[in-house]
Amino acid sequence: MTTAQLPVYVNVRQVFSQEAEIGGTVSLDRMLRFRQLLASDRASIHANLSFAKARSGHREISGEVSATADMLCQRCLQPVQLNIRDSIRLALLESEDQMVDLDPEWDPWICDGLRLPLAKLVEEQLMLALPIVNVCEDEACIVKLEYRPAPESDLNFLNQKVATTKPFATLGKLMKNTR
């Protein structure tokens, strides 16, 4: 089954006046910043976007983005396949001044022209949805690293040493010697 590509851009006036719904895949070639974060050039990116005018007068974009991509596990530095999924709730604004009236449930997206680049919007949303740290969900990742927690006796020693260390004691001695 072939899924249609998301258009490169949409005409802002047209999609909001028609209250359009657009869905499709996004090529990784159109998402350079997201691509730099990946462990390979393989990724499947999909978006479903709905465009509507709210009663408040704001133009709203809602929908969902999803991606399956290979990233590096920060524990073992091996590729791990991540499934990223996020909802979109954006208010399309022409300037930052319009953010004052924006309902807090909507995130602002500034577009001062008639063309709205969809890949940029999807890319930004995916990057915000990435986990802070990528790790394998497989317990074998920890086993491969031979990770062992520090013995309790080592932790007690560290706590005692920290409690008795006075970081400014040396500075105080130096100041007395210079007077």
Side-chain angles (χ1 to χ4, degrees):
M1 181 173 124
T2 305
T3 306
Q5 284 276 330
L6 216 58
V8 174
Y9 68 89
V10 292
N11 181 298
V12 172
R13 287 184 189 154
Q14 185 179 9
V15 292
F16 285 103
S17 67
Q18 294 175 353
E19 294 194 349
E21 291 189 17
I22 300 172
T25 61
V26 182
S27 169
L28 195 55
D29 295 334
R30 292 172 43 203
M31 302 174 66
L32 300 178
R33 291 183 314 139
F34 183 69
R35 185 180 189 170
Q36 291 175 347
L37 301 173
L38 303 180
S40 72
D41 285 342
R42 293 180 304 162
S44 172
I45 303 162
H46 189 39
N48 288 314
L49 306 171
S50 298
F51 301 85
K53 288 184 182 176
R55 291 183 184 167
S56 65
H58 285 111
R59 296 173 291 184
E60 298 172 347
I61 304 169
S62 59
E64 187 175 271
V65 295
S66 61
T68 302
D70 292 335
M71 304 197 82
L72 288 182
C73 171
Q74 297 301 305
R75 247 186 280 178
C76 65
L77 299 177
Q78 296 299 313
V80 59
Q81 189 175 69
L82 290 182
N83 293 316
I84 307 157
R85 191 173 223 80
D86 197 22
S87 296
I88 293 179
R89 292 184 54 84
L90 300 173
L92 191 70
L93 308 175
E94 293 175 5
S95 70
E96 290 181 13
D97 298 335
Q98 294 177 321
M99 282 193 247
V100 175
D101 301 329
L102 190 60
D103 193 348
E105 70 184 53
W106 293 91
D107 291 324
W109 185 269
I110 309 255
C111 178
D112 57 359
L114 291 177
R115 289 183 171 190
L116 176 63
L118 295 181
K120 183 176 179 182
L121 186 143
V122 171
E123 177 181 44
E124 191 72 29
Q125 206 65 35
L126 283 175
M127 291 179 71
L128 289 170
L130 287 173
I132 294 171
V133 177
N134 306 318
V135 292
C136 298
E137 292 182 14
D138 186 6
E139 288 296 319
C141 177
I142 295 173
V143 173
K144 281 186 222 174
L145 294 176
E146 298 177 2
Y147 173 76
R148 288 182 214 102
E152 191 66 34
S153 60
D154 289 352
L155 294 176
N156 289 336
F157 171 74
L158 289 174
N159 289 337
Q160 290 173 357
K161 190 172 184 175
V162 169
T164 59
T165 303
K166 297 181 180 174
F168 294 106
T170 306
L171 181 60
K173 289 179 188 175
L174 290 172
M175 290 183 71
K176 285 181 187 176
N177 291 339
T178 58
R179 289 185 187 169

